[in-house]
């Protein structure tokens, strides 16, 4: 009965590769988010989608492209991976689009390591 | 501008002793403040939140935090640590609506010694 799930949990890949991280929520929420937690533990919003439409797009390189095939899924595709992309990526969802963090449910994270 | 500083990257306590995790914030507005816990391989879980009501906020698992405007602090406390409290704790400040107005601290790892 996992609320927000992410696959894979761990991803190790070479520089220059293209990879995707998948996120699914079974809560019926309308809004989904991607956060990046870097090596210094800073957690920062990357993207937010509401009803499959992009509502937040922070200053993220355009190598990162979120895709929302439906309200329950928000996948993150990363092209031409770089060393600095190594981080833990968290998906979250909420019922409303206010972005208030206390309404967000977080997934367990995907640890991406770029070699 | 908003920011949050967690003063200790690692805190170690013995089981049954008090826990104090420190958080200071900076905000141009009346902020909302939150504490989150992250257990290994788990997502963030909300412990408690302050949204301009009572300055002493009680959360889950016996945790509480006090908002002190004069000190710009929002320290997290628990009277008696339990082994299951061992985790990473994040202080978060919200400077306004929208997920792009959330500012996270760098976390404090709590170790509980049996």
């Amino acid at each position: 009965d996992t609320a927000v799930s992410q696959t894979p949990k761990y991803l190790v890949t070479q520089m220059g590769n293209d990879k995707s991280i998948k996120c699914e929520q079974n809560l019926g929420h309308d809004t989904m988010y991607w956060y990046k937690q870097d090596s210094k533990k800073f957690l920062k919003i990357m993207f937010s989608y509401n009803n499959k439409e992009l509502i937040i797009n922070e200053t993220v390189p355009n190598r990162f492209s979120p895709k929302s095939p439906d309200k329950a899924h928000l996948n993150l595709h990363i092209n031409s991976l770089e060393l600095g992309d190594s981080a833990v990526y968290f998906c979250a969802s909420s019922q409303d689009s206010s972005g208030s963090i206390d309404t967000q449910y977080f997934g367990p994270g995907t640890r991406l390591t770029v070699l | 501008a908003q920011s949050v500083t967690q003063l200790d990257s690692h805190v170690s306590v013995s089981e049954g002793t008090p826990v104090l995790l420190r958080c200071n914030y900076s905000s141009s507005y009346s902020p909302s403040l939150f504490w989150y816990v992250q257990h290994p391989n788990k997502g963030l879980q909300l412990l408690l939140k302050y949204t301009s009501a009572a300055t002493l906020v009680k959360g889950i698992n016996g945790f509480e935090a006090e908002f002190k405007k004069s000190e710009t602090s929002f320290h997290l406390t628990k009277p008696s640590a339990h082994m299951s409290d061992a985790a990473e704790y994040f202080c978060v400040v919200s400077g306004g609506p929208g997920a792009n107005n959330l500012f996270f601290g760098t976390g404090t790892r709590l170790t509980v010694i049996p």
Side-chain angles (χ1 to χ4, degrees):
Chain A
D1 60 346
T2 305
V4 182
S5 60
Q6 296 178 226
T7 53
K9 280 192 174 178
Y10 302 95
L11 182 55
V12 181
T13 188
Q14 300 284 336
M15 264 198 316
N17 284 350
D18 303 337
K19 290 293 178 186
S20 291
I21 306 172
K22 295 185 176 182
C23 178
E24 177 181 1
Q25 53 96 2
N26 62 6
L27 298 164
H29 287 168
D30 288 338
T31 306
M32 296 184 73
Y33 311 79
W34 275 109
Y35 290 84
K36 178 181 179 181
Q37 185 180 44
D38 63 23
S39 58
K40 290 187 169 61
K41 300 284 183 65
F42 276 118
L43 198 70
K44 192 165 170 53
I45 185 77
M46 298 173 69
F47 301 102
S48 173
Y49 268 71
N50 178 257
N51 280 320
K52 299 183 351 179
E53 288 190 17
L54 183 66
I55 56 174
I56 291 176
N57 182 358
E58 289 297 288
T59 50
V60 177
N62 57 15
R63 297 182 294 103
F64 290 77
S65 53
K67 288 193 171 38
S68 182
D70 54 57
K71 281 195 330 182
H73 296 84
L74 181 63
N75 303 324
L76 184 64
H77 189 76
I78 315 170
N79 289 328
S80 303
L81 277 156
E82 300 177 357
L83 293 176
D85 298 333
S86 296
V88 181
Y89 292 85
F90 286 97
C91 178
S93 73
S94 66
Q95 179 56 46
D96 60 46
S97 61
S98 69
S100 180
I101 190 172
D102 56 323
T103 65
Q104 295 181 36
Y105 290 73
F106 284 80
T110 295
R111 183 176 293 279
L112 170 65
T113 303
V114 182
L115 303 176
Chain B
Q2 280 68 239
S3 68
V4 60
T5 302
Q6 290 184 243
L7 297 158
D8 307 297
S9 60
H10 187 204
V11 169
S12 186
V13 301
S14 297
E15 190 177 16
T17 63
V19 176
L20 170 64
L21 305 182
R22 298 183 293 168
C23 173
N24 284 92
Y25 70 92
S26 171
S27 177
S28 306
Y29 309 96
S30 295
S32 295
L33 293 153
F34 310 83
W35 274 100
Y36 274 78
V37 60
Q38 183 183 13
H39 288 96
N41 300 316
K42 302 280 188 186
L44 297 173
Q45 180 186 14
L46 180 67
L47 278 178
L48 49 81
K49 65 178 180 180
Y50 166 78
T51 53
S52 76
T55 55
L56 183 61
V57 182
K58 293 189 184 300
I60 62 171
N61 300 336
F63 284 95
E64 61 182 39
E66 186 170 8
F67 173 71
K68 291 187 177 180
K69 187 175 181 179
S70 60
E71 298 176 12
T72 60
S73 69
F74 189 58
H75 300 335
L76 182 70
T77 61
K78 183 172 179 177
S80 176
H82 191 273
M83 293 300 295
S84 61
D85 295 328
E88 190 93 26
Y89 291 80
F90 291 91
C91 183
V92 184
V93 62
S94 172
N100 50 352
N101 282 311
L102 296 172
F103 298 87
F104 289 77
T106 50
T108 298
R109 179 170 296 280
L110 176 65
T111 299
V112 182
I113 303 166

